[in-house]
Amino acid sequence: MSLLRLEGVTRSVELPDAPPLEILKGVDLEVSVGDHVSIVGRSGSGKSTLLNLLGMLDNPTSGSIYFDDVPLRSYGSGARDRKRGSDIGFIFQQFNLLGGRTALENVITPLLYATGSQFWKRRQIATTMLERMGLGERLNSMPEQLSGGEQQRVAIARALVRGPRLILADEPTGALDIDTGASVMALLDEVAEQSGAALITITHDANVAALARRHYRLDRGVLSEVDVNRVLALSSPEVTL
C-alpha cells in the first residue's frame, strides 16, 4: 500500500537578475507502509529541500506529492498542519529538545495537540514510550543531564509518541559517536518495524544509509535508486558523493 508518492517533483528558487536556481529535478519516489528507505547525498545536494517536501513543510515548484493517494495540494493549510502533526514524526540531528523541560515533559509536548484519549492519557503514553526506549529511570532528567545517545532516544520517543505513520530521520546519528549511532539506528529501525511505520533516513553517512532496505542517492537535485553495494562504496575516500 502506497503511503507517500512523489511524481516529477521539482523545486527551484527565484534569484534576482539570474535564472531560477534548480534544487530538485524531476524527483520520483514511492514509499509504502512499513518501508525503510535511505537517501544519501552530500551537502548541497538538496536533502534539506527534499525533507521539507516529504514532511509537508513546503510545496514543490512543479510535480505532485500524494499522501494515502490524496494530493497534498488538495489540503488547506490547517488540514495539512493536522495531518503532519498526527501522521509524521521528525527526528533531527541536533535533537532539538526543549531546555528547562524534563525528558518526560519533552515527550509529552506533541500530545498537547492530540485529541481524545491521547490527550487525556498523555503522561501515561509518554512514560510508556520512554520506558520502551530504555529511559524509564530518566523521566525527570533535564536534557543537559543526559548523554548524547540518551538525548537522541528522547527525541525518538517524542517523534513516535503520537504513533506516526511516517518517520523522517534527518542525519539522526550525525551528533553521535559510531557505537552510539549504530545502537540508536538499530533501535529506531526496530521500533518503526514494530509499529508498522515507514521510515525515511536522510543522511550523508553511507554506513547509516546502508541499514535501510531500499537505497537512493541524491546528487545535484536528481534522485536515483542504487543498490547497497553502491551505497557502501560511497563511504570510500576514493569515491565522491
Side-chain angles (χ1 to χ4, degrees):
M1 176 182 173
S2 176
L3 176 66
L4 179 68
R5 189 169 78 254
L6 281 66
E7 295 181 351
V9 165
T10 71
R11 180 66 179 163
S12 59
V13 177
E14 295 292 333
L15 298 176
D17 303 319
L21 174 63
E22 293 184 281
I23 301 174
L24 297 176
K25 306 171 184 177
V27 170
D28 296 316
L29 176 66
E30 185 166 1
V31 179
S32 301
V33 173
D35 227 346
H36 183 182
V37 173
S38 67
I39 300 172
V40 63
R42 62 184 177 186
S43 297
S45 62
K47 298 195 306 295
S48 296
T49 299
L50 181 57
L51 177 75
N52 288 341
L53 294 176
L54 296 172
M56 304 186 193
L57 295 168
D58 208 346
N59 295 310
T61 301
S62 64
S64 300
I65 302 177
Y66 300 84
F67 200 98
D68 285 333
D69 291 324
V70 177
L72 290 187
R73 69 171 69 93
S74 67
Y75 287 90
S77 59
R80 181 179 293 209
D81 290 345
R82 290 190 293 273
K83 188 73 171 174
R84 185 191 312 113
S86 63
D87 285 359
I88 301 179
F90 293 87
I91 300 171
F92 302 100
Q93 175 180 351
Q94 298 300 332
F95 317 137
N96 289 346
L97 299 182
L98 299 173
R101 305 281 182 88
T102 65
L104 181 60
E105 289 169 336
N106 266 278
V107 177
I108 284 175
T109 300
L111 295 170
L112 297 175
Y113 303 93
T115 58
S117 62
Q118 272 198 336
F119 176 80
W120 296 111
K121 296 180 180 179
R122 58 191 181 276
R123 189 176 186 88
Q124 175 187 334
I125 294 170
T127 298
T128 299
M129 182 58 70
L130 282 167
E131 289 173 345
R132 190 176 183 182
M133 295 292 121
L135 294 171
E137 303 297 320
R138 307 292 265 158
L139 300 180
N140 297 313
S141 297
M142 295 294 182
E144 61 271 18
Q145 297 173 318
L146 302 172
S147 69
E150 288 172 333
Q151 289 184 53
Q152 187 62 297
R153 279 185 279 160
V154 173
I156 291 173
R158 183 180 58 187
L160 300 180
V161 74
R162 290 192 68 179
R165 300 167 61 213
L166 173 64
I167 303 167
L168 298 177
D170 181 20
E171 300 285 4
T173 64
L176 305 176
D177 61 72
I178 293 175
D179 290 340
T180 302
S183 175
V184 164
M185 282 306 302
L187 178 62
L188 179 56
D189 194 40
E190 176 187 348
V191 172
E193 185 172 2
Q194 289 174 354
S195 64
L199 172 61
I200 300 178
T201 304
I202 299 178
T203 181
H204 72 279
D205 188 330
N207 293 300
V208 169
L211 299 174
R213 290 185 283 277
R214 290 198 295 129
H215 315 91
Y216 288 82
R217 180 187 182 192
L218 186 62
D219 182 25
R220 285 175 275 191
V222 177
L223 186 71
S224 55
E225 190 165 8
V226 295
D227 64 30
V228 67
N229 292 323
R230 176 57 179 157
V231 170
L232 289 171
L234 296 174
S235 63
S236 169
E238 289 81 24
V239 179
T240 60
L241 285 172

